[in-house]
Amino acid sequence: MADPGTDRLRAAIRRELRYVREQAAGLATRDSEQRFELRQIAKATLAAVLAWLLADRLLPRETVWIAPATAVIMVHATVYQTLTNGVRRVFAVAAGVILAGSVGYLIGLTALGLLLVVPPALVAARWHRMGRHGTDVATTAVLMLSFGAASQERYLLAYVVATGVGAVCGALVNAMLWPPLYYRRPREAVRRLSGEAATLLENVAGGMREGCDLSGLPDWRQQAERLDEHLARAASAIADGAESRRYNLRGARVPEPDDYQRLLSAMSEIGVHLHALVRALAHIAQRGRPHGDGPPWISEEFGRDYAELLDLLARALRARMRIADEPARLSALISVALERADAIQEQMTEEVRTGSLDQPRGWAVTGSLLTDAERVLTILKALHADSLRDPAVLGDGDGVPDALV
């Protein structure tokens, strides 16, 4: 019998080897995340070397290490972050040095000195303008006191200057050499989001078509929950893309980004209706067959027609996000989907009018299902109309040099 511990070890080794292979494959792919990270590592290394050379010439030996250390952490994912965090770090260090110097000059390193330094330093650290570098105020002040350097004006000044040298070197390198510009990442994130939504629609359609089979409901619920995760990732990618253009020298050489915020808003609304659709099916599964037998609350005819409508919505979603498709194809899909939705609506209305409902108990739920599908269709129709008036709603973006991830 196999040893469970050995099996887990082998599985862990396989996962690590797969990860290494994926990273190696990424390094061989143009504009990959791995190449981006490799460039950032190289830039941080260069910034550290430059900061060391400058600090070694200008500053006392004992403070030289601060410059390369600061330079490394200043090579951020965007030029905007590098510049703003560099300024914040320098101000935070200067504030900590001033605070420690003032107390150290008066009373030196004592318990009373820490009592006078730590509270105001932590208060300053919580100022929102300091950002994530607010803690540098307290750590710098305590370090200066602990090292006994708080009363050495020359060392304190050199410490601040070394921090500034490192921040300047990190900012210059990150801004001048391959400044990160996230042009493709927002588009890919929105496409993945729409692809997940289309897959959910296709899966639900498959179940509805096969005799209203709701056995896939647990998977549909998980897919609907994953939509929220993809929505959050898309929002983050869009925010990163917008931020990457700020103070970026490469930003002037590429066209303005597509209006992904409008797409994200539309996909957020679609996600709400897909969640409602899955909840309605869950209600049918829970109440429609309380004893495990008998017909479901929705008729097979409605199931087939509804499955066709969902398939059309899924195809329209995929076509909406594929740039190569002609707008006429998407218009045709939306028109056919509208006709199908109208036909289902008319059939349901006629059944109510004549009192010939196959499943009267499920009429309200089927109406809810149809309403959610129609709202998704309305959103796609409005989005398509906007794109015809304003191509920036989803542009091409091909041929942009080094417009990474």
Side-chain angles (χ1 to χ4, degrees):
M1 185 174 63
D3 182 11
T6 303
D7 291 341
R8 286 195 295 270
L9 178 60
R10 288 174 178 172
I13 292 174
R14 284 195 296 269
R15 285 195 299 269
E16 294 304 317
L17 290 175
R18 183 165 59 250
Y19 172 79
V20 171
R21 287 195 297 269
E22 290 172 354
Q23 298 305 306
L27 290 174
T29 304
R30 182 176 180 268
D31 286 349
S32 65
E33 188 75 26
Q34 289 77 12
R35 285 196 178 187
F36 166 71
E37 295 296 342
L38 187 62
R39 280 201 294 265
Q40 292 299 98
I41 291 172
K43 288 160 62 175
T45 304
L46 177 60
V49 171
L50 290 176
W52 174 275
L53 292 175
L54 283 173
D56 192 41
R57 287 176 174 271
L58 302 174
L59 301 171
R61 190 71 182 178
E62 61 269 19
T63 61
V64 170
W65 65 274
I66 304 165
T70 302
V72 168
I73 63 176
M74 286 299 104
V75 180
H76 289 282
T78 65
V79 175
Y80 174 77
Q81 288 180 19
T82 294
L83 296 175
T84 56
N85 283 308
V87 172
R88 285 169 178 164
R89 179 169 172 79
V90 171
F91 272 102
V93 169
V97 164
I98 292 171
L99 186 58
S102 302
V103 174
Y105 181 79
L106 294 175
I107 60 177
L109 176 58
T110 63
L112 178 60
L114 290 174
L115 184 63
L116 294 176
V117 163
V118 173
L122 291 178
V123 170
R126 283 161 173 74
W127 186 33
H128 69 98
R129 295 292 183 185
M130 288 293 187
R132 67 187 187 91
H133 287 288
T135 55
D136 291 340
V137 180
T139 54
T140 300
V142 172
L143 282 174
M144 293 301 99
L145 279 177
S146 302
F147 290 162
S151 59
Q152 302 176 25
E153 293 86 351
R154 182 171 177 271
Y155 181 86
L156 295 178
L157 178 61
Y159 194 97
V160 176
V161 173
T163 302
V165 168
V168 169
C169 288
L172 286 176
V173 170
N174 202 36
M176 302 300 293
L177 299 179
W178 300 297
L181 183 61
Y182 304 137
Y183 191 86
R184 295 189 179 96
R185 183 181 293 179
R187 181 170 68 241
E188 293 305 319
V190 173
R191 285 183 180 177
R192 282 193 294 271
L193 172 62
S194 63
E196 287 289 326
T199 300
L200 173 59
L201 286 168
E202 291 165 351
N203 291 342
V204 174
M208 299 290 287
R209 187 179 295 107
E210 300 297 330
C212 300
D213 179 13
L214 302 182
S215 60
L217 188 59
D219 292 334
W220 302 343
R221 281 173 165 165
Q222 290 182 0
Q223 285 180 279
E225 291 172 359
R226 284 201 299 271
L227 280 180
D228 295 336
E229 297 174 6
H230 281 281
L231 186 66
R233 290 173 188 163
S236 178
I238 291 170
D240 289 344
E243 183 183 278
S244 72
R245 297 181 68 89
R246 301 183 69 178
Y247 310 128
N248 195 316
L249 298 177
R250 293 169 62 201
R253 302 204 307 267
V254 298
E256 284 294 319
D258 307 323
D259 191 357
Y260 294 115
Q261 203 61 51
R262 200 183 312 179
L263 289 173
L264 184 68
S265 177
M267 289 306 305
S268 178
E269 293 182 45
I270 289 174
V272 170
H273 297 302
L274 293 186
H275 273 285
L277 189 153
V278 172
R279 284 196 296 270
L281 292 174
H283 180 74
I284 292 174
Q286 180 182 7
R287 301 291 300 277
R289 291 181 176 177
H291 305 293
D293 55 4
W297 278 12
I298 54 180
S299 66
E300 291 191 6
E301 181 182 2
F302 175 87
R304 287 193 301 270
D305 292 340
Y306 192 68
E308 183 179 347
L309 175 59
L310 295 185
D311 275 333
L312 288 169
L313 292 178
R315 290 167 60 192
L317 260 175
R318 294 192 187 280
R320 179 66 188 83
M321 297 302 164
R322 284 201 301 266
I323 298 170
D325 287 344
E326 293 294 331
R329 182 167 182 263
L330 181 55
S331 297
L333 284 170
I334 291 176
S335 297
V336 174
L338 285 169
E339 293 174 2
R340 172 54 54 193
D342 288 343
I344 297 174
Q345 186 74 260
E346 291 175 4
Q347 177 67 24
M348 292 178 64
T349 302
E350 181 63 20
E351 289 176 353
V352 171
R353 188 182 66 81
T354 60
S356 58
L357 285 171
D358 290 341
Q359 306 295 337
R361 295 182 63 193
W363 176 81
V365 181
T366 54
S368 173
L369 290 172
L370 182 60
T371 299
D372 285 313
E374 287 180 328
R375 286 175 177 168
V376 172
L377 181 56
T378 299
I379 294 168
L380 285 173
K381 182 181 177 182
L383 198 60
H384 182 52
D386 288 343
S387 68
L388 293 178
R389 290 191 299 268
D390 181 10
V393 176
L394 186 62
D396 191 327
D398 291 337
V400 179
D402 296 324
L404 175 69
V405 290

